[in-house]
Amino acid sequence: MPDIALYQPDIPQNTGTILRMAACLGLSVHLIEPAGFALSDRNLRRAGLDYLDQAAMQRHLDWAAFESWRKAEGRRLLLLTTAAATAYTDFAFESSDILLMGRESAGAPPEVHEAADARLIIPMRPPARSLNIALAAAMVTGEALRQTAQFP
């Protein structure tokens, strides 16, 4: 099944929501630190409810540690970004993909863009710029699961 990765997340409620979704769907979440909040944050717990204990979360000390792990695993990295040209609905997902979300406040830095095997966008009508990261993660994860027939 695809995994979700969060690059230095800023907002605990979004991370909690994504962890809850992942727990319900049986997905793993990779948290690339540093996060902008303590993982014991009550807002994280509130958004994740009682699903956080069921969530498969792997913490990576930093981007280099995550990249080292990912390359050793031979996994494809797909970055969701407003700077992409390929719509997620036009992309062929594989079950071993990692769907990477950038920081809510700043997206992903150039070295993360360069490391991505593909960069995907959720098409929106102007002048809209972006969606909430948890909503974007849910949309793209749903399409990846649909294409790879991985629904629980």
Side-chain angles (χ1 to χ4, degrees):
M1 301 206 26
D3 287 359
I4 298 170
L6 305 176
Y7 179 84
Q8 300 180 354
D10 293 328
I11 301 174
Q13 296 90 331
N14 288 338
T15 300
T17 299
I18 292 168
L19 286 166
R20 180 178 176 179
M21 176 186 70
C24 290
L25 297 175
L27 306 174
S28 294
V29 175
H30 299 269
L31 183 67
I32 303 165
E33 299 190 42
F37 54 88
L39 289 180
S40 60
D41 190 294
R42 67 182 178 89
N43 292 315
L44 174 75
R45 296 250 167 239
R46 183 178 303 135
L49 294 174
D50 56 347
Y51 294 93
L52 292 183
D53 294 335
Q54 300 172 40
M57 182 177 68
Q58 184 173 348
R59 293 170 67 179
H60 300 272
L61 182 61
D62 55 24
W63 172 250
F66 171 78
E67 266 297 88
S68 178
W69 169 84
R70 180 184 74 85
K71 287 179 179 177
E73 294 290 315
R75 310 267 309 263
R76 193 167 69 161
L77 184 66
L78 312 178
L79 176 63
L80 275 67
T81 173
T82 58
T86 303
Y88 80 101
T89 51
D90 294 334
F91 189 78
F93 292 92
E94 297 174 3
S95 60
S96 61
D97 287 339
I98 299 173
L99 309 174
L100 176 63
M101 316 295 149
R103 295 180 74 179
E104 293 95 338
S105 62
E111 63 268 20
V112 173
H113 280 263
E114 292 168 14
D117 296 295
R119 297 185 311 158
L120 307 176
I121 191 167
I122 297 172
M124 289 175 257
R125 65 184 187 129
R129 293 176 295 122
S130 65
L131 293 169
N132 172 280
I133 195 169
L135 179 56
M139 290 174 66
V140 177
T141 299
E143 178 63 12
L145 292 174
R146 185 192 69 78
Q147 285 187 24
T148 59
Q150 297 289 321
F151 276 105

